[in-house]
Amino acid sequence: MSRLRSLPRAHLIAGLCLVLLLLYPVVNPWQPYPQGVMLLAFLLAIQASSWNIISGYAGYISLGHSMFLGLGSYTVGVLAVRFGVNPLWVAPLGGITAVVIAVLIGSVVLRTRGHAFVIITIAMLLAAQIFAVNLKSITQGSDGITLELPFWDRDFQNIPFYYVYLILMVLTVLFSAWIRRTKFGTGLVAIREDEGKAASIGVNTTRFKIVAYAASSFFIGMAGGVYAYYLTFINPVGSFAILGSVTIVLATLTGGRGTLYGPVIGAFIVQLVSEGATVYGGGSNARVLVFGLALMLVVLFLPKGILPTIEAWWRRRHPEKVEYTDQAGALSRVPVTATERVRAEIAAVNEKDEVAPGEILLDVRGVSKRFGGLTAVDNADLTVRKGSITALIGPNGSGKTTLFNLISGGMAADSGEIWFDGRRIDGMRPWRRGHLGLGRTYQVTRLFKEMTVQENVVAPLPDSRWRTMFSDAVRGHEAARARELLDIVGLGRFANQPAGALSYGQQKLVELAQVLMLEPKLILLDEPAGGVNPSLLGQLTEVIRELNRSGVTFLIVEHNIPLVLDLCDPVVVFSHGAPIAEGPPERIRTDPLVLDAYLGDDWRPADGDEGTGDPADDRADDRADTTTREAVQ
Ligand SMILES: Nc1ncnc2c1ncn2[C@@H]1O[C@H](COP(=O)(O)OP(=O)(O)OP(=O)(O)O)[C@@H](O)[C@H]1O
């Protein structure tokens, strides 16, 4: 009973509805018409819920998804007619055909980002129709395929279909719920919100999208096989109709794209409205008109769909209480066991390295990047030694962030080589670099704002194993580790809050916890102090030091010079896309070139300062120790 009470309210309501749907034909067995309407609603719910995996979770809109229903129908129709098998027994083969075609199409189309996918999905639907018309020896062309009538008594015509579709609908929703709970599901939402960022935290975006597209086709294909039997007749025009795809989109948008139950609710609403329009509005033309109008109204007035709108209203009425936390205090209260466990894990990862402490971990060799006429990074060299906290400082626009993008794979270099941990990485996809232990944060935080804080931290994938991809993101090892990392940055209590609700400084800390999930060897921190309040800054510095002691190397871009001088060694100074000086902080702060190019007069030592005699002599000594780049001189 207590387990039942702990279930979220939505699951309880869904369970109750399921019981009512199971009982309906029992209490009302002699009503084939309403049963028919309901089973078509189940069919639409199966399609909408499946479509939601690729288009709701991953954000890739498919406008040709009804193609999978047609493929399933034809697979089963052809097998049933040729081999005399009952369509219900071979319906799963409809799902398998759909998956195979989805993988083939997805492998080509989903390597790209954005709109090409939408257009190609429509083209594929039309191509499937043309194939069905022309492959007459298999499909019987425009004449279509007539299947045998169901073997059960006509009086029960709809009841077996009703239950088959109800079961398929429940399986589809459970499948969709399971996907959303895994790191695969979290990765799909990450792709929807910010594909570039998702790639940088180890999400193999190509693989994720192809698997999502295939997963979104299976139950539709299977349902298509059953549909052929239900109709007992299939033809190319009916099986590959664009209106079918529009209905799926409309149902999901109405209920709430990206939610678990939204597509099901939307399917019931759209099916009932569609039935009403056909019966009372004078046939299928009225249905098209109603669909068009409904789509317009949904986009204009319910852009997020019914379920998210109700949820938002509910949250406003019943705001979740979050205890106020003094983060600085929270950081010092982090359970020792958590810190030690994370430290041990990080140390274990770094011990496996080929590169020993003090050796070069990151080696940037003669790298350039041009934007039109502007050379943002100009034949730059940079080395980061294992175990160091290296700073990269320089004036605004000197190319520091661009260099970070080149190292992490967000941009491709025009020339030069980048080596990390003994491997050349400049040709690698960003997620491969992440799997090697290269993590980064962003100057302007790029958290996935619609995910919770915990989901953000659990989303990164430290390797490319399928087991990691399908591990549970809500419970188990991954979720526990995410909680520990959140504790380390003092934000454990915000775990279930939407990331967008946090302050900017807190988001910076979540991004640091997120990157730690990658089990990184090197973290590129882009202006970690920007927007973080001064009292928290000291704690942030401590977290960086603590991680560094565990073996993590840092390359930090930062304009807060006191912080840099306190935390980092060595310091590399960039100007006009290339380093002009490199050395320990106490020497960099007095290097005349650096003072001229970046630090300015505020940092210039006054005569008599430093207590070492003539400051001019000091500076001369400093210059001897600081590696000042010949090229720039
Ligand atoms: N995607 C882009 N397209 C065109 N120009 C760009 C792009 N990204 C950066 N730049 C330009 O490249 C130069 C270097 O920019 P970058 O952001 O790397 O400098 P930065 O040293 O990180 O500056 P800041 O300290 O202000 O963050 C700038 O002149 C910038 O306008």
Side-chain angles (χ1 to χ4, degrees), residues 371 374 376 394-403 411 443 527 557 559:
F371 299 110
L374 175 87
N396 294 117
S398 57
K400 305 177 298 294
T401 298
T402 306
L403 185 66
M411 280 175 189
Q443 187 175 347
E527 298 194 20
V557 164
H559 286 292

Side-chain angles (χ1 to χ4, degrees), residues 234-266:
I234 48 174
N235 70 354
V237 174
S239 298
F240 299 103
I242 187 94
L243 192 62
S245 291
V246 174
T247 318
I248 299 172
V249 177
L250 180 61
T252 317
L253 292 188
T254 305
R257 185 157 72 101
T259 61
L260 180 61
Y261 294 118
V264 179
I265 295 171

Side-chain angles (χ1 to χ4, degrees), residues 91-147:
L93 293 179
I96 291 170
T97 308
V99 167
V100 171
I101 300 291
V103 170
L104 290 176
I105 297 174
S107 303
V108 179
V109 185
L110 289 165
R111 289 187 179 279
T112 60
R113 283 191 204 175
H115 303 308
F117 178 72
V118 182
I119 296 171
I120 291 189
T121 51
I122 304 177
M124 287 296 151
L125 176 69
L126 300 176
Q129 194 181 73
I130 292 169
F131 273 118
V133 171
N134 290 294
L135 285 176
K136 285 196 177 122
S137 58
I138 301 173
T139 62
Q140 299 173 27
S142 305
D143 295 341
I145 298 174
T146 306
L147 289 88

Side-chain angles (χ1 to χ4, degrees), residues 36-307:
V37 173
M38 292 304 278
L39 74 86
L40 289 178
F42 301 157
L43 174 61
L44 184 55
I46 293 165
Q47 296 179 85
S49 206
S50 299
W51 184 83
N52 191 43
I53 295 171
I54 183 73
S55 303
Y57 295 161
Y60 269 70
I61 304 290
S62 160
L63 286 183
H65 237 57
S66 58
M67 172 181 74
F68 297 120
L69 194 77
L71 285 172
S73 295
Y74 265 95
T75 305
V76 169
V78 169
L79 289 175
V81 169
R82 293 234 161 169
F83 302 104
V85 285
N86 184 285
L88 285 183
W89 309 142
V90 286
L93 293 179
I96 291 170
T97 308
V99 167
V100 171
I101 300 291
V103 170
L104 290 176
I105 297 174
S107 303
V108 179
V109 185
L110 289 165
R111 289 187 179 279
T112 60
R113 283 191 204 175
H115 303 308
F117 178 72
V118 182
I119 296 171
I120 291 189
T121 51
I122 304 177
M124 287 296 151
L125 176 69
L126 300 176
Q129 194 181 73
I130 292 169
F131 273 118
V133 171
N134 290 294
L135 285 176
K136 285 196 177 122
S137 58
I138 301 173
T139 62
Q140 299 173 27
S142 305
D143 295 341
I145 298 174
T146 306
L147 289 88
E148 64 181 67
L149 288 173
F151 59 81
W152 52 85
D153 195 311
R154 279 193 65 181
D155 288 344
F156 297 108
Q157 182 82 4
N158 281 340
I159 293 181
F161 287 117
Y162 179 99
Y163 281 114
V164 169
Y165 275 131
L166 182 57
I167 291 167
L168 277 181
M169 182 181 79
V170 172
L171 288 178
T172 312
V173 172
L174 288 176
F175 181 60
S176 175
W178 171 73
I179 284 184
R180 187 62 188 85
R181 283 178 63 97
T182 60
K183 280 174 81 101
F184 171 52
T186 322
L188 294 181
V189 179
I191 289 172
R192 180 184 75 202
E193 293 206 19
D194 185 343
E195 191 162 343
K197 160 87 192 228
S200 81
I201 55 166
V203 174
N204 180 338
T205 52
T206 305
R207 186 207 279 179
F208 271 53
K209 289 184 289 182
I210 296 171
V211 175
Y213 191 46
S216 76
S217 71
F218 179 72
F219 283 105
I220 302 185
M222 200 163 153
V226 181
Y227 195 47
Y229 196 29
Y230 172 71
L231 292 178
T232 65
F233 175 72
I234 48 174
N235 70 354
V237 174
S239 298
F240 299 103
I242 187 94
L243 192 62
S245 291
V246 174
T247 318
I248 299 172
V249 177
L250 180 61
T252 317
L253 292 188
T254 305
R257 185 157 72 101
T259 61
L260 180 61
Y261 294 118
V264 179
I265 295 171
F268 278 84
I269 294 171
V270 168
Q271 185 56 40
L272 292 177
V273 170
S274 153
E275 202 57 36
T278 310
V279 173
Y280 301 108
S284 54
N285 283 345
R287 214 165 44 149
V288 176
L289 203 70
V290 169
F291 280 175
L293 198 69
L295 197 55
M296 213 171 69
L297 292 176
V298 166
V299 171
L300 281 178
F301 298 110
L302 273 179
K304 286 184 183 277
I306 292 173
L307 211 56

